């Protein structure tokens, strides 16, 4: 088997501990430094997530979601599952879909979703 060893400790905190730290700071029970030590989360990340929670009026659980990178997903989990089921249905009916067709279909679906969100 592979013997991969993680080379960094980035995002080694849990979402539950981050949510708890955010909640403590938002309620005013602890400061950033104290909450970061008590819940073992990075202070700068905690500050950024608390700022995001205050600006967007998010709950502590919603603000504590982990993300790597700056890009956000386009489709929700449910939409993605529905899309996969549609593709499986097409495959069962012997509609051959190429990778190019799949990408085009996903792009069109994302465009429609974006336009409906703007209305």
């Amino acid at each position: 088997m592979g013997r991969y060893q993680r080379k960094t400790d980035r995002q080694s905190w849990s979402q539950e501990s981050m949510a708890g730290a955010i909640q403590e700071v938002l309620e005013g029970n602890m400061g950033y430094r104290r909450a970061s030590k008590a819940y073992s989360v990075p202070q700068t990340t905690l500050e950024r997530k608390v700022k995001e929670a205050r600006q967007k009026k998010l709950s502590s659980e919603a603000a504590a979601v982990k993300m790597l990178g700056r890009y956000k997903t386009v489709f929700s989990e449910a939409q993605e599952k529905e899309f996969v089921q549609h593709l499986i249905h097409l495959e069962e009916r012997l509609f051959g879909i190429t990778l190019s067709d799949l990408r085009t279909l996903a792009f069109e679906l994302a465009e429609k979703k974006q336009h409906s969100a703007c209305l």
Side-chain angles (χ1 to χ4, degrees):
M1 278 317 226
R3 297 178 185 217
Y4 176 77
Q5 285 189 331
R6 190 174 172 143
K7 295 169 183 61
T8 180
D9 61 349
R10 293 180 70 172
Q11 287 203 359
S12 58
W13 45 269
S14 70
Q15 288 187 5
E16 293 81 22
S17 59
M18 181 61 78
I22 291 170
Q23 189 67 33
E24 293 290 338
V25 172
L26 288 175
E27 291 175 355
N29 298 335
M30 293 184 184
Y32 292 113
R33 182 177 293 161
R34 189 167 166 211
S36 121
K37 296 281 186 211
Y39 288 90
S40 301
V41 296
Q43 182 178 341
T44 53
T45 305
L46 176 60
E47 290 173 5
R48 187 180 71 247
K49 298 232 177 233
V50 167
K51 179 181 176 184
E52 180 181 319
R54 284 182 177 148
Q55 286 178 347
K56 297 181 180 178
K57 299 190 185 329
L58 298 174
S59 68
S60 58
E61 289 80 20
V65 174
K66 284 186 173 185
M67 287 180 44
L68 278 177
R70 63 181 174 185
Y71 300 107
K72 294 177 177 58
T73 58
V74 175
F75 302 116
S76 68
E77 193 77 30
Q79 290 171 329
E80 199 169 318
K81 285 181 182 180
E82 185 180 346
F83 187 58
V84 169
Q85 288 302 318
H86 178 67
L87 293 173
I88 290 171
H89 179 71
L90 288 176
E91 182 64 31
E92 288 171 351
R93 294 177 153 248
L94 302 176
F95 283 97
I97 295 183
T98 65
L99 185 57
S100 178
D101 293 337
L102 175 69
R103 289 178 180 157
T104 303
L105 189 60
F107 179 77
E108 289 173 357
L109 188 61
E111 286 286 310
K112 284 183 181 179
K113 181 182 177 210
Q114 182 182 14
H115 288 302
S116 67
C118 293
L119 297 177

